[in-house]
Amino acid sequence: MAIRVQADAFDPGAEVNAMHAANAGVGAVVSFVGYVRDFNDGRDVSGMFLEHYPGMTEKALAKIAVEAEQRWPLLKLEVLHRIGALEPGEPIVFVAAASAHRQAAFDACAFVMDYLKTRAPFWKKENTPDGPRWVEGRSSDHAAADRWK
Amino acid sequence: MSINVLFFARYAEAVGFDSLEMEGDFATVDAVRLALASDPEFAVLNESSLMCARNEELCSLDEPVQAGDEVAFFPPVTGG
C-alpha cells in the first residue's frame, strides 16, 4: 500500500504502469483519476487551492487503504492526492487497486474514492470571476460512501 | 487541563486564525465546541454539518477528551 500527499504534479499513466510492473500475479488494475474542471456550480473556475490537515491527512488515507485491503484480496493499492495550487486540467487524485481478478480491483477502487470523499481532510477553494470560494460538501458523496456499510 | 484546538478551511477564515490553546475542564469534544460557540466570534461552530477530529482521527461530538489532546473543527471535506 502506498499513500502519497504531494504538491508536485504526477503522471497517471506512469502510476498505472507501475501497479503491475513488478508482479506478474496481477491480473487486473482498476484506477481512478480526478481532474480539476474549468467550470463548477455555474461559475468558470480558473484554478483552485487544496488545503489539508497535515498529519491527519496521511493517517486518514492509510486507514481507508487498510480497510480496503481487509475487505478485498488486493496485490497492490495506491492513493495519491495533490495539495496546494492546481490549474484546470491537472490531475488532483489517483487511486489504483491491483488484484488477481477484476471485481476486487473495481470494488476496492470505488470504495477508496467514496471514503476519501467523505473522510479525508481536504478542502477545495476555487478561483472564480467573483473571487475565491470554498467548495461545498455534497450529500450525494455521503450516500455513495454509505453503500459500503 | 489544556487542549489544542485547530480550525481548517472556511472555519479558520471565519474565526480569523487556525489554532488556539484552551484551558478548562472539558469532558467531550462537544464541551470544547460549546465553550467556544458561546462567543459570537465562533458562531460557525454551530453549523450542523460541522466535522471534528481528536488527535488526528475523525470522531463524533461525544468523543471524550483528555489533557494535551488536539481537537480540530472543520467543514465537510471536499477532496478527491
Side-chain angles (χ1 to χ4, degrees):
Chain A
M1 160 182 119
I3 306 294
R4 284 151 63 195
V5 178
Q6 63 184 53
D8 293 338
F10 65 92
D11 174 359
E15 299 296 335
V16 171
N17 288 338
M19 290 299 291
H20 61 88
N23 191 343
V26 171
V29 173
V30 172
S31 66
F32 172 85
V33 186
Y35 294 93
V36 181
R37 292 189 301 150
D38 63 1
F39 192 82
N40 188 33
D41 275 342
R43 288 283 177 280
D44 289 327
V45 174
S46 59
M48 67 166 59
F49 187 87
L50 260 157
E51 182 175 332
H52 76 127
Y53 181 169
M56 179 175 164
T57 309
E58 295 80 359
K59 282 185 193 173
L61 294 176
K63 189 174 176 185
I64 294 167
V66 165
E67 188 167 343
E69 288 180 334
Q70 287 168 348
R71 291 173 73 145
W72 293 280
L74 303 179
L75 295 168
K76 195 168 181 181
L77 179 62
E78 178 167 333
V79 183
L80 203 174
H81 206 295
R82 297 275 306 274
I83 51 173
L86 288 109
E87 293 181 8
E90 282 196 90
I92 306 177
V93 62
F94 175 85
V95 173
S99 56
H101 304 288
R102 72 186 182 283
Q103 200 59 53
F106 271 122
D107 289 349
C109 188
F111 166 86
V112 169
M113 271 312 300
D114 287 344
Y115 269 36
L116 182 155
K117 280 275 189 185
T118 51
R119 298 173 187 214
F122 295 101
W123 300 273
K124 289 176 183 146
K125 194 175 197 182
E126 297 173 334
N127 299 319
T128 75
D130 305 328
R133 68 173 180 189
W134 292 101
V135 172
E136 296 290 326
R138 292 175 195 275
S139 57
S140 59
D141 286 335
H142 288 274
D146 284 346
R147 71 191 164 120
W148 300 105
K149 281 182 178 166
Chain B
M1 67 197 226
S2 176
I3 304 273
N4 189 32
V5 184
L6 304 181
F7 308 100
F8 288 94
R10 184 166 53 79
Y11 287 11
E13 285 185 355
V15 304
F17 43 87
D18 55 19
S19 71
L20 69 88
E21 197 81 15
M22 279 182 81
E23 287 290 338
D25 282 324
F26 309 105
T28 62
V29 168
D30 203 34
V32 175
R33 184 188 70 84
L34 289 168
L36 289 166
S38 61
D39 180 338
E41 186 187 354
F42 295 94
V44 73
L45 300 182
N46 289 315
E47 290 186 0
S48 61
S49 58
L50 168 139
M51 293 179 74
C52 53
R54 173 178 166 252
N55 296 335
E56 302 185 341
E57 283 221 36
L58 283 185
C59 67
S60 58
L61 284 168
D62 57 11
E63 175 86 0
V65 293
Q66 295 179 347
D69 278 356
E70 177 175 290
V71 170
F73 296 109
F74 41 84
V77 300
T78 55

